[in-house]
Amino acid sequence: MGSERQEWSVGVPLAEHKPVRARMRAVLRPAFSVLGVALLVLLVQDVGTEELGKVLSRAAPWLPLVLALEAARLWLDAVATWVAYGSRTRDVPFRSMIRAQLISAAVSNVAPAGRAAGEATKAALLSPYTGGATAMAAAATSQAASLVSGGLISIPCALAAYLLTGASWLTLALGVHTVVLVLVGLGMRAGMRARKLGAWLKQRFHRFAPHTETFQESARDGGLLPTRPIVATFLGRTLQVVQYGTLAVAVGIDTTAVEALVAQGLNLVAMAVGALVPGQFGVSDGAFAMSARAFGTTTAKAMSIALLTHVMQVLFVLVGSLTPLVWKARTPSPQSSVDQPA
């Protein structure tokens, strides 16, 4: 999305100081990537490669199940974005949505912006079917739903953390995580639908007034809380709890529902803290290593949960990277590529 035309193809106005922000991102991305990898190397050296190797070898037979759970979670993410199109859902073939999801999953794992970057990628790939503004509205709705569902799943994770660790830093962090994500998700949806904000944008950016109007019309297709996308993303988060519980069992930790929820809670906190670190390399590993005592296990076993997650991320990055080469996009009909009020 290097040119002005490409940026506007998904209906998002350019910021006046984009070159400054772009330069900052160009510096921060590799810097945080290097820091994350360096931290990961230090952690591996501290724990010991031999001990980690034994734990990871024991967990290897569980990887197909973990990968299947991740594939199901990605399918639910695709459903969440698809139903976020509201009355325009029928214009977007679900086959094309799955293709876009696979590609966006690779972007989410390597870009510092995570899921937000993935949703923007989906919007760009699917804009030929509905037009850019409608595609971006659906992507933003899906992102808001993900934030709200992330806040909701943090509630049982916080309760589990309290049962396991008491009034610890993790319990507090998950409590804050719940409030912040729900409020940000609701605020995002309210801003998307706010008529005054839309009027200001149309007045400020005359050239793109039609895009703003279509974006807001699409955002108002449904209530403030997008129920179906929230349900789909919440089910995906629930599958992730099962996934982390499976990883804990795989590395040899005696796991109950409480431990599985705490593992998911650690994952959520790591994603929030390491938002600028691609794939949370080093951040999630450190969080799990610090919490080994809470799980009643060794640092090697706790940290191996994060390491196996990275293996899964790398595999899906490879799949997403190869998808555009082996799965060609379907050409939409001319009528479906025009933005229409929802």
Side-chain angles (χ1 to χ4, degrees):
M1 295 186 180
S3 68
E4 180 181 9
R5 183 173 180 273
Q6 287 171 317
E7 288 286 349
W8 275 100
S9 68
V10 291
V12 181
L14 289 168
E16 293 179 2
H17 304 292
K18 180 189 167 186
V20 176
R21 293 210 310 271
R23 286 195 295 270
M24 288 179 64
R25 287 197 299 267
V27 173
L28 288 176
R29 285 178 182 176
F32 278 107
S33 298
V34 170
L35 286 173
V37 172
L39 177 58
L40 178 57
V41 170
L42 289 174
L43 287 167
V44 170
Q45 289 179 342
D46 183 60
V47 174
T49 54
E50 185 177 349
E51 187 176 358
L52 281 171
K54 290 178 181 178
V55 175
L56 293 173
S57 296
R58 171 180 175 170
W62 292 83
L63 273 179
L65 175 58
V66 173
L67 292 172
L69 288 168
E70 180 65 8
R73 189 187 69 80
L74 291 176
W75 182 83
L76 284 167
D77 274 355
V79 170
T81 305
W82 193 53
V83 297
Y85 277 83
S87 60
R88 299 296 302 276
T89 298
R90 63 183 180 276
D91 295 328
V92 182
F94 192 67
R95 183 174 183 274
S96 299
M97 178 63 73
I98 291 295
R99 178 182 181 274
Q101 179 64 47
L102 290 173
I103 297 170
S104 71
V107 174
S108 297
N109 280 315
V110 299
R115 186 187 172 102
E119 288 295 345
T121 300
K122 274 190 273 188
L125 292 170
L126 297 170
S127 60
Y129 297 98
T130 61
T134 298
M136 184 51 77
T141 296
S142 180
Q143 174 66 11
S146 177
L147 290 169
V148 173
S149 65
L152 294 177
I153 200 67
S154 296
I155 296 173
C157 290
L159 291 174
Y162 181 76
L163 290 174
L164 200 63
T165 66
S168 64
W169 67 269
L170 180 58
T171 304
L172 176 61
L174 285 168
V176 173
H177 193 262
T178 297
V179 175
V180 171
L181 260 65
V182 171
L183 289 179
V184 171
L186 288 174
M188 187 175 174
R189 278 289 291 171
M192 291 167 60
R193 297 156 55 89
R195 296 184 185 277
K196 288 185 179 180
L197 178 59
W200 180 85
L201 288 171
K202 285 190 287 186
Q203 187 177 20
R204 181 72 173 80
F205 303 99
H206 298 287
R207 179 182 173 187
F208 305 106
H211 297 286
T212 302
E213 185 174 346
T214 304
F215 177 91
Q216 288 208 303
E217 287 296 329
S218 299
R220 294 191 194 106
D221 186 4
L224 176 64
L225 280 173
T227 306
R228 292 191 297 170
I230 289 175
V231 169
T233 52
F234 185 81
L235 289 174
R237 299 286 188 185
T238 304
L239 270 183
Q240 208 167 34
V241 173
V242 178
Q243 187 180 59
Y244 274 92
T246 303
L247 285 171
V249 172
V251 300
I253 300 175
D254 291 332
T255 307
T256 64
V258 171
E259 278 85 3
L261 284 165
V262 170
Q264 168 69 330
L266 281 168
N267 171 56
L268 294 171
V269 171
M271 285 195 296
V273 174
L276 290 176
V277 181
Q280 286 74 52
F281 277 86
V283 180
S284 59
D285 309 88
F288 275 92
M290 288 171 55
S291 302
R293 184 176 297 179
F295 287 103
T297 189
T298 64
T299 303
K301 288 182 179 180
M303 187 175 159
S304 293
I305 296 176
L307 290 174
L308 287 168
T309 302
H310 295 324
V311 171
M312 179 177 63
Q313 289 173 330
V314 169
L315 287 174
F316 276 97
V317 166
L318 289 174
V319 170
S321 300
L322 292 173
T323 296
L325 301 177
V326 300
W327 188 348
K328 300 303 180 183
R330 174 183 170 185
T331 304
S333 62
Q335 294 86 354
S336 64
S337 62
V338 179
D339 271 318
Q340 303 168 1

